[in-house]
């Protein structure tokens, strides 16, 4: 078999568990560990509950996927920090949602209506992708966001885009979302109040952007959306932006 052949070569295949997670609590407690199969918190505050953050980290920890996180219609205010565990959870602290491990497809979708995600901690975006084990390199993720309201980010609302330099680039699909009242005034990455995308494929449909702003005197551009392909060849030179009914 294929797996037996890998074993003879001294290689192992990455696990590819496909898991559906359903969030059961709109709280955001500071936890330390989760059950990767269910999303339930197993250490720290909130033991036994499945929060938005714990479901994200469980999916990040549970192999290549594809994974789906079902978020019932409610308001989810982000206030805690992620554990710093880039090698195991693809997270590096901070209070944004760092979704997806390297080369994983993952979907975050509102169910039963639109789920509202609010960032309450200054200097953070609302949603970005996870990180590779070095804690510096963004993971290349195939991320889908649907039926969500995304607001309150002060380092943009959604921050995506990655290219690992060996043929893998990120893919982000946003559909039926409302991205509003986010801002970005950062002196280095100050572009895009609602969304910043740097390289990779970005597809947005049936989504509203309103009252977003990029205000830095030198870097501020793209109050709603900023998308760039930074290089003409090599790493960071692949991607496209597509918008429909936005």
């Amino acid at each position: 078999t294929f797996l037996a052949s890998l074993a003879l070569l001294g290689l192992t295949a990455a696990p590819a568990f496909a898991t559906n997670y359903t969030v059961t609590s709109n709280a955001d407690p500071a936890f330390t560990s989760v059950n990767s199969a269910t999303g339930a918190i197993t250490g720290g505050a909130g033991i036994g509950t499945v929060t938005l953050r714990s479901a994200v980290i469980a999916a990040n920890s549970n192999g290549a996927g594809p994974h789906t996180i079902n978020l019932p219609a409610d308001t989810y205010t982000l206030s805690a920090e992620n554990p710093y565990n880039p090698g195991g959870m693809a997270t590096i602290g901070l209070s944004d949602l760092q979704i997806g491990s390297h080369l994983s497809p993952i979907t975050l979708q509102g169910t039963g209506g639109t789920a509202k995600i609010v960032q309450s901690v200054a200097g953070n975006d609302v949603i970005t992708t996870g990180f590779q084990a070095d804690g510096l390199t963004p993971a290349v993720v195939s991320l889908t966001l649907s039926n969500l309201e995304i607001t309150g980010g002060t380092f943009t609302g959604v921050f995506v885009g990655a290219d690992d330099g060996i043929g893998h680039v990120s893919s982000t699909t946003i559909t039926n979302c409302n991205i509003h009242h986010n801002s970005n005034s950062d002196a280095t990455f100050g572009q895009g109040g609602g969304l910043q995308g740097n390289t990779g494929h970005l597809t947005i449909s049936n989504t509203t952007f309103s009252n977003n702003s990029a205000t830095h005197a030198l870097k501020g551009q793209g109050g709603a959306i900023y998308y760039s392909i930074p290089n003409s060849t090599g790493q960071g030179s692949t991607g496209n932006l597509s918008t429909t009914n936005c």
Side-chain angles (χ1 to χ4, degrees), residues 91-114:
T91 55
I92 59 165
L94 304 175
S95 69
D96 53 356
L97 296 175
Q98 298 165 14
I99 305 177
S101 58
H102 192 50
L103 304 183
S104 67
I106 187 165
T107 296
L108 174 61
Q109 60 185 14
T111 59
T114 301

Side-chain angles (χ1 to χ4, degrees), residues 1 15-16 20-21 51 85 87 108 120 139 147 157 207:
T1 67
N20 288 322
Y21 301 91
T51 68
N85 186 355
L108 174 61
S120 70
N147 299 323
T207 290

Side-chain angles (χ1 to χ4, degrees), residues 4-228:
S5 298
L6 287 177
L8 288 173
L9 292 171
L11 303 173
T12 57
F17 306 111
T19 305
N20 288 322
Y21 301 91
T22 297
V23 173
T24 62
S25 170
N26 68 354
D28 191 25
F31 59 84
T32 57
S33 60
V34 300
N35 183 320
S36 63
T38 66
I41 295 171
T42 57
I47 289 176
T49 61
V50 181
T51 68
L52 171 55
R53 192 180 305 277
S54 73
V56 167
I57 289 179
N60 291 2
S61 309
N62 198 17
H67 303 305
T68 299
I69 299 169
N70 298 303
L71 190 62
D74 204 339
T75 297
Y76 301 83
T77 300
L78 305 179
S79 57
E81 284 198 358
N82 298 297
Y84 185 92
N85 186 355
M89 296 178 175
T91 55
I92 59 165
L94 304 175
S95 69
D96 53 356
L97 296 175
Q98 298 165 14
I99 305 177
S101 58
H102 192 50
L103 304 183
S104 67
I106 187 165
T107 296
L108 174 61
Q109 60 185 14
T111 59
T114 301
K116 182 177 182 180
I117 306 173
V118 182
Q119 178 59 267
S120 70
V121 180
N124 283 268
D125 51 50
V126 185
I127 292 173
T128 189
T129 47
F131 291 83
Q132 296 191 47
D134 62 7
L136 299 172
T137 307
V140 174
V141 177
S142 178
L143 175 64
T144 298
L145 304 173
S146 66
N147 299 323
L148 302 173
E149 187 176 344
I150 298 168
T151 189
T154 51
F155 184 71
T156 196
V158 179
F159 191 106
V160 292
D163 180 343
D164 67 2
I166 55 173
H168 306 117
V169 297
S170 61
S171 176
T172 305
T173 301
I174 301 174
T175 184
N176 296 323
C177 289
N178 180 7
I179 300 174
H180 66 92
H181 290 95
N182 300 282
S183 63
N184 193 349
S185 60
D186 188 76
T188 303
F189 297 101
Q191 304 94 343
L195 183 150
Q196 183 177 150
N198 295 292
T199 201
H201 306 292
L202 176 59
T203 303
I204 308 171
S205 63
N206 301 314
T207 290
T208 299
F209 290 81
S210 63
N211 296 294
N212 301 290
S213 60
T215 59
H216 190 271
L218 299 177
K219 294 293 185 178
Q221 52 184 312
I225 302 171
Y226 176 85
Y227 175 81
S228 71

